[in-house]
Amino acid sequence: QVQLVESGGGLVQAGGSLGLSCTASGSIFSINVMSWYRQAPGLQRDFVAAITSGGATNYVDSVKGRFTISRDNAKNTVYLQMNSLKPEDTAVYYCNAVVRTGRGTTPRNHEGQGTQVTVSS
């Protein structure tokens, strides 16, 4: 069993900053990609950013230069630093991790419960 727990959401004014974190726990042998997705009311869940265990990163164009994803492999934790926030960044942010629970097992996606980020104009 693998659990992901996000924290750090909240309410911020446009132009402000917030930091999110997500820690994976449970039966973890290794974690490959850790990523963040977000879902605004009435819209589909969209990719925001991802980071591999080696530190390679990828971002959706709308957050490039404003958001930074990082991770601490020893703590099984991924972070998302969000700067210059805009009202359109308002959404529930979900952490995702691709986890192996043992040597030779199939990697599986696991997702957290989400954390609300609200940016006021």
Side-chain angles (χ1 to χ4, degrees), residues 22-25 28 31 34 71-79:
C22 170
T23 298
S25 62
I28 297 171
I31 303 177
M34 301 187 82
R71 66 190 278 178
D72 184 331
N73 290 331
K75 296 181 178 179
N76 291 331
T77 298
V78 63
Y79 306 95

Side-chain angles (χ1 to χ4, degrees), residues 26-82:
S27 301
I28 297 171
F29 175 75
S30 65
I31 303 177
N32 186 1
V33 178
M34 301 187 82
S35 53
W36 290 95
Y37 288 76
R38 64 186 179 186
Q39 187 168 19
L43 300 179
Q44 66 182 18
R45 191 167 300 185
D46 291 328
F47 170 79
V48 176
I51 185 167
T52 68
S53 56
T57 59
N58 188 31
Y59 298 91
V60 66
D61 284 348
S62 61
V63 308
K64 285 180 180 177
R66 300 189 299 122
F67 290 12
T68 301
I69 189 170
S70 61
R71 66 190 278 178
D72 184 331
N73 290 331
K75 296 181 178 179
N76 291 331
T77 298
V78 63
Y79 306 95
L80 187 68
Q81 179 62 39
M82 305 182 291

